[in-house]
């Protein structure tokens, strides 16, 4: 009976992640860009707001101080509250408070939602991953990722088509209402998944305050954290600015963006299970080094992406980058479970996400003035005709290569022997 309950719980976790992913789709990317454009928020500020997903990770450190004896209740209540706050983002355009006040309210709501969301993530991850066979973590992570990507692909296409329709007919606020209702429905589904999951075993529910300091002394935890700090520099110097690039300079419709998301989801799903099996056999560090090489190539493609070749080149970038993140997405949690002792894993997950997340947010803040400067200068830099997103793609490529060197010479991955 216990084995059946655990299996059911792991299946529910996969669905839980999918519903949470649907909500994240509606508050990020081109959906977020559509909201911020309606509110009159600039591209650079939209990039900063997009990076709140990274800044929010800082608040995963709060999980270290939460009582693990109430894991299920924390995950349940925290999930409900933060998702309903996300829903409020689509209510802000209806406020009659002026552009500046509405924009300020929007930013505060977004930040609060990410704070609450991240405070419970390490506890939830440790709860469900502690139920897994250590040699099945890669395959299970790939299943979770595949379900989220495939269902998210269909979800994105459907919602993108709806938003496009109402935007073209001058009824964008109807689209905002539909998005708000959709987030509410996803929140209810997420809640049911948590309610019917078995609670964590006592040894995983306990909380030890001394582990808060111990995790900062763990060499492996710190090595993993630094690796993902460098990776965040690469991604958050570039990705937050791609959404506005697609719908403005490149002139993509939300329907075409949805098509690109379908390509991304299918590509990442196709490689996810092979990457998971490879990692279970060879190790997650070895797999991540290979995937980072592919990611560097993807960023290099975007260095040469301009309106004239935008549709083809961005499609190529999407295919290559999806192949990379299909594997990289399996690594952040699993590297911790592979390299860090069991009693420190939850705090190590929090430390990794928090520090690297803060780095990602700060990087976006630093890069935003460069984006503004290039755009306000007529898309020129040092006398060269260049779009801001081409330059940030070059920065991303360089730091991705640094990640590869770091894994090779600092982490020094070894093949698994068992």
């Amino acid at each position: 009976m216990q084995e059946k309950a655990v299996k059911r719980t792991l299946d529910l976790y996969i669905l839980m992640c999918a519903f949470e992913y649907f909500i994240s789709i509606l508050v990020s990317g081109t959906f977020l860009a559509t909201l911020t454009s309606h509110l009159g928020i600039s591209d650079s500020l939209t990039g900063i707001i997009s990076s709140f997903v990274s800044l929010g990770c800082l608040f995963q450190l709060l999980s270290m101080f939460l009582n693990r004896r109430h894991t299920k209740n924390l995950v349940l209540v925290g999930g409900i509250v933060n998702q309903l706050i996300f829903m409020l983002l689509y209510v802000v355009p209806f406020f009659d408070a002026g552009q500046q006040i509405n924009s300020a309210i929007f930013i505060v709501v977004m930040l609060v939602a990410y704070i609450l969301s991240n405070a419970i993530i390490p506890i939830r991850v440790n709860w469900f991953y502690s139920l897994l066979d250590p040699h099945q973590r890669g395959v299970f992570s790939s299943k979770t990722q595949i379900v989220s990507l495939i269902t998210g692909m269909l979800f994105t296409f459907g919602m993108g088509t709806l938003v496009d329709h109402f935007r073209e007919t001058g009824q964008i606020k109807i689209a905002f209402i539909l998005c708000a209702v959709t987030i509410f429905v996803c929140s209810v589904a997420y809640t049911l998944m948590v309610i019917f999951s078995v609670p964590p075993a006592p040894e995983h529910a306990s909380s030890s305050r001394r582990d808060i300091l111990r995790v900062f002394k763990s060499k492996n935890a710190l090595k993993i954290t630094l690796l993902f700090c460098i990776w965040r520099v690469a991604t958050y110097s570039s990705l937050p600015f791609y959404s506005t690039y697609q719908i403005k300079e490149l002139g993509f419709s939300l329907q075409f963006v949805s098509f690109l998301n379908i390509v991304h989801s299918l590509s990442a799903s196709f490689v996810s299970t092979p990457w998971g099996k490879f990692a279970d056999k060879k190790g997650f560090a070895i797999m991540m080094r290979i995937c980072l090489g592919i990611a560097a190539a993807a960023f290099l493609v975007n260095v040469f992406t301009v309106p004239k070749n935008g549709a083809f080149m961005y499609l190529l970038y999407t295919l290559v980058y999806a192949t990379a993140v299909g594997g990289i997405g399996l690594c952040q949690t699993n590297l911790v479970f592979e390299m860090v002792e069991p009693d420190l894993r939850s705090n190590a997950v929090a430390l990794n996400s928090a520090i690297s997340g803060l780095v990602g947010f700060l990087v976006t803040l630093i890069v935003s003035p460069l984006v503004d400067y290039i755009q306000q200068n007529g898309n020129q830099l040092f006398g060269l005709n260049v779009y801001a997103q081409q330059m940030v793609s070059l920065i991303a490529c360089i730091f991705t290569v640094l990640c590869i060197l770091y894994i090779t010479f600092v982490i020094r991955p070894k093949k698994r022997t068992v």
Side-chain angles (χ1 to χ4, degrees):
M1 290 294 292
Q2 182 63 21
E3 288 180 2
K4 290 181 179 179
V6 168
K7 184 181 184 303
R8 185 193 71 232
T9 295
L10 293 175
D11 290 339
L12 290 175
Y13 177 74
I14 293 174
L15 294 176
M16 186 191 310
C17 290
F19 285 114
E20 188 176 48
Y21 182 54
F22 296 163
I23 295 174
S24 72
I25 288 172
L26 291 177
V27 297
S28 63
T30 50
F31 289 97
L32 175 63
T34 301
L35 259 176
T36 56
S37 295
H38 181 81
L39 293 171
I41 296 174
S42 68
D43 286 5
S44 59
L45 185 53
T46 296
I48 294 172
I49 294 172
S50 297
S51 68
F52 278 3
V53 65
S54 182
L55 178 64
C57 292
L58 176 65
F59 296 96
Q60 290 194 21
L61 291 176
L62 293 175
S63 68
M64 295 184 181
F65 302 94
L66 298 177
N67 191 335
R68 308 294 169 78
R69 296 183 186 280
H70 304 293
T71 292
K72 187 170 182 176
N73 289 337
L74 286 171
V75 173
L76 179 62
V77 176
I80 293 172
V81 174
N82 94 268
Q83 289 160 9
L84 293 180
I85 293 176
F86 273 132
M87 185 183 71
L88 291 178
L89 292 174
Y90 282 95
V91 179
V92 173
F94 295 89
F95 294 166
D96 188 20
Q99 179 180 324
Q100 289 187 336
I101 295 178
N102 279 358
S103 297
I105 294 172
F106 184 89
I107 292 170
V108 171
V109 170
M110 176 74 92
L111 185 57
V112 171
Y114 275 119
I115 290 173
L116 293 175
S117 173
N118 282 279
I120 63 172
I121 285 178
I123 297 173
R124 189 185 66 197
V125 167
N126 194 56
W127 168 10
F128 288 97
Y129 271 68
S130 66
L131 302 174
L132 284 168
D133 180 330
H135 297 286
Q136 295 295 318
R137 290 188 184 124
V139 172
F140 176 78
S141 297
S142 69
K143 288 180 181 178
T144 303
Q145 184 167 269
I146 288 171
V147 171
S148 291
L149 288 172
I150 295 297
T151 55
M153 170 189 70
L154 299 173
F155 179 84
T156 303
F157 183 79
M159 293 303 297
T161 301
L162 280 175
V163 173
D164 270 342
H165 169 73
F166 287 110
R167 184 173 61 175
E168 291 168 2
T169 57
Q171 298 175 299
I172 189 64
K173 287 191 175 181
I174 294 179
F176 293 161
I177 293 172
L178 289 174
C179 288
V181 171
T182 302
I183 291 176
F184 177 78
V185 172
C186 290
S187 180
V188 171
Y190 173 95
T191 300
L192 292 174
M193 300 301 106
V194 177
I195 289 173
F196 290 106
S197 296
V198 296
E203 62 268 26
H204 298 295
S206 62
S207 177
S208 176
R209 295 294 184 267
R210 68 178 182 276
D211 289 344
I212 296 174
L213 295 177
R214 284 181 57 214
V215 74
F216 287 95
K217 299 178 182 179
S218 170
K219 290 183 179 180
N220 284 339
L222 295 177
K223 284 181 180 180
I224 295 170
T225 298
L226 183 53
L227 168 63
F228 282 95
C229 283
I230 303 172
W231 173 237
R232 292 276 184 158
V233 173
T235 55
Y236 277 83
S237 64
S238 55
L239 300 186
F241 305 101
Y242 284 172
S243 296
T244 55
Y245 193 47
Q246 292 176 65
I247 63 176
K248 290 187 176 180
E249 286 85 354
L250 298 181
F252 297 165
S253 67
L254 280 186
Q255 198 166 27
F256 184 69
V257 171
S258 297
F259 166 73
L260 290 173
N261 288 334
I262 289 173
V263 172
H264 175 93
S265 298
L266 288 176
S267 301
S269 298
F270 182 77
V271 301
S272 186
T273 297
W275 280 135
K277 290 180 178 178
F278 180 88
D280 283 335
K281 183 178 180 181
K282 303 292 185 180
F284 284 93
I286 291 177
M287 181 194 70
M288 186 165 182
R289 182 169 57 184
I290 297 171
C291 292
L292 285 168
I294 300 171
F299 287 127
L300 188 61
V301 168
N302 257 2
V303 172
F304 301 99
T305 300
V306 293
K308 184 182 297 185
N309 61 22
F312 172 76
M313 292 294 281
Y314 204 90
L315 175 60
L316 178 60
Y317 155 78
T318 300
L319 284 166
V320 179
Y321 188 70
T323 302
V325 297
I328 295 173
L330 308 178
C331 289
Q332 184 153 5
T333 296
N334 284 301
L335 266 178
V336 170
F337 274 74
E338 182 174 81
M339 297 177 60
V340 177
E341 49 269 43
D343 60 330
L344 294 181
R345 285 171 179 168
S346 179
N347 288 345
V349 169
L351 176 68
N352 182 9
S353 296
I355 303 302
S356 64
L358 177 61
V359 168
F361 178 75
L362 293 176
V363 165
T364 302
L365 286 180
I366 293 170
V367 173
S368 289
L370 174 63
V371 172
D372 273 341
Y373 174 79
I374 295 174
Q375 291 179 338
Q376 293 170 5
N377 201 37
N379 294 318
Q380 287 195 337
L381 183 66
F382 306 127
L384 300 173
N385 291 322
V386 60
Y387 288 96
Q389 285 79 359
Q390 290 179 276
M391 184 56 59
V392 297
S393 295
L394 179 60
I395 295 171
C397 182
I398 292 171
F399 277 93
T400 303
V401 172
L402 290 178
C403 282
I404 297 171
L405 296 175
Y406 179 85
I407 291 176
T408 302
F409 297 106
V410 178
I411 292 183
R412 297 177 181 176
K414 296 179 181 179
K415 291 183 179 180
R416 287 184 175 177
T417 57
V418 293

